[in-house]
């Protein structure tokens, strides 16, 4: 199910989220306090922060766009759990992909814009190539959090279309029409 949904298809549906993430992440690269913070954090802690941010945006997108299948919406008892597991994996993979693209962009930007002499004077020690990925990672974390705000302006329909395969989308539309018809009759 995840493969048929193709997680990379969701990125174009998140254009506003990606734009917000890139803008805030870029600010993070230019902001010298981020340099100091990124330098002071242990790589394991940076990794944990990244995983938490990816999880937070994943769950925000799922609940904000009503991608969670409620038990009463599932045709079979097991279908809701399978749908929800697939949705979490699919959206999580898409958000992780977005994070990695943002990280690569911010890493390249940091290498081009932030002079190692300036970075060293701010950190008060000599810097190496490895200071730049740490800075880009923390800036990508900050940007991804801002991406949650940006996702509020992305189209719910586009996100649903990107999240579900064509067959699943058709099934959900039929179910929604049936529910609407049932409510109209009542």
């Amino acid at each position: 199910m995840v493969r048929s949904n193709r997680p990379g298809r969701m990125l174009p549906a998140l254009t506003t989220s990606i734009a917000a993430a890139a803008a805030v992440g870029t600010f993070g690269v230019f902001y010298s306090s981020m340099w100091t913070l990124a330098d002071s954090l242990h790589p394991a802690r940076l990794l944990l922060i990244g995983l938490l941010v990816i999880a937070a945006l994943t769950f925000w997108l799922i609940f904000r766009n009503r991608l969670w299948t409620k038990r009463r919406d599932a045709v079979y008892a097991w279908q809701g759990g399978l749908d929800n597991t697939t949705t979490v994996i699919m959206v999580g993979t898409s958000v992780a992909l977005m994070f990695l693209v943002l990280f690569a962009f911010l890493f390249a930007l940091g290498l081009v814009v932030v002079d190692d002499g300036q970075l060293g004077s701010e950190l008060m020690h000599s810097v190496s190539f490895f200071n730049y990925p740490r800075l880009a990672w923390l800036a990508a974390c900050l940007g991804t959090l801002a991406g949650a705000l940006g996702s509020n302006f992305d189209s719910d329909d586009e996100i649903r279309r990107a999240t579900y395969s064509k067959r699943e989308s058709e099934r959900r539309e039929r179910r929604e029409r049936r529910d609407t018809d049932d409510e109209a009759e009542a």
Side-chain angles (χ1 to χ4, degrees):
M1 286 176 74
V2 172
R3 187 178 44 182
S4 72
N5 288 337
R6 296 186 307 258
R9 254 185 2 176
M10 189 171 175
L11 291 181
L14 295 174
T15 54
T16 310
S17 181
I18 293 169
V24 172
T26 299
F27 174 76
V29 167
F30 291 118
Y31 195 55
S32 62
S33 293
M34 287 289 285
W35 304 352
T36 308
L37 185 58
D39 185 59
S40 69
L41 293 173
H42 190 275
R45 191 167 182 180
L46 281 170
L47 179 63
L48 179 63
I49 292 168
L51 292 174
L52 289 172
V53 163
I54 289 169
L57 182 54
T58 297
F59 288 107
W60 174 254
L61 287 171
I62 289 170
F63 289 108
R64 186 209 172 272
N65 294 292
R66 297 181 305 278
L67 302 176
W68 196 257
T69 302
K70 296 177 180 90
R71 191 174 289 276
R72 64 178 170 78
D73 293 337
V75 176
Y76 302 105
W78 53 268
Q79 185 183 12
L82 181 62
D83 285 352
N84 291 334
T85 301
T86 302
T87 298
V88 169
I89 293 169
M90 194 331 216
V91 175
T93 303
S94 298
V95 171
L97 184 59
M98 180 186 104
F99 182 88
L100 292 175
V101 167
L102 182 63
F103 168 76
F105 166 72
L106 294 173
F107 177 66
L109 181 68
L111 284 174
V112 170
V113 172
V114 180
D115 180 64
D116 60 347
Q118 179 67 28
L119 182 59
S121 70
E122 183 68 34
L123 299 179
M124 293 187 260
H125 64 75
S126 61
V127 297
S128 70
F129 175 79
F130 297 104
N131 289 96
Y132 290 96
R134 292 171 76 161
L135 170 59
W137 188 270
L138 188 59
C141 289
L142 180 65
T144 302
L145 279 178
L149 176 63
S151 73
N152 289 328
F153 302 104
D154 288 321
S155 166
D156 294 354
D157 292 333
E158 267 188 62
I159 290 173
R160 272 192 223 99
R161 258 193 313 274
T163 304
Y164 301 124
S165 65
K166 181 175 173 68
R167 200 163 125 207
E168 179 60 23
S169 291
E170 290 169 354
R171 211 176 336 162
R172 286 179 186 269
E173 285 175 21
R174 280 193 306 264
R175 201 172 334 160
E176 286 175 9
R177 270 184 281 170
R178 186 185 67 225
D179 290 346
T180 305
D181 292 344
D182 290 346
E183 288 175 8
E185 289 175 8

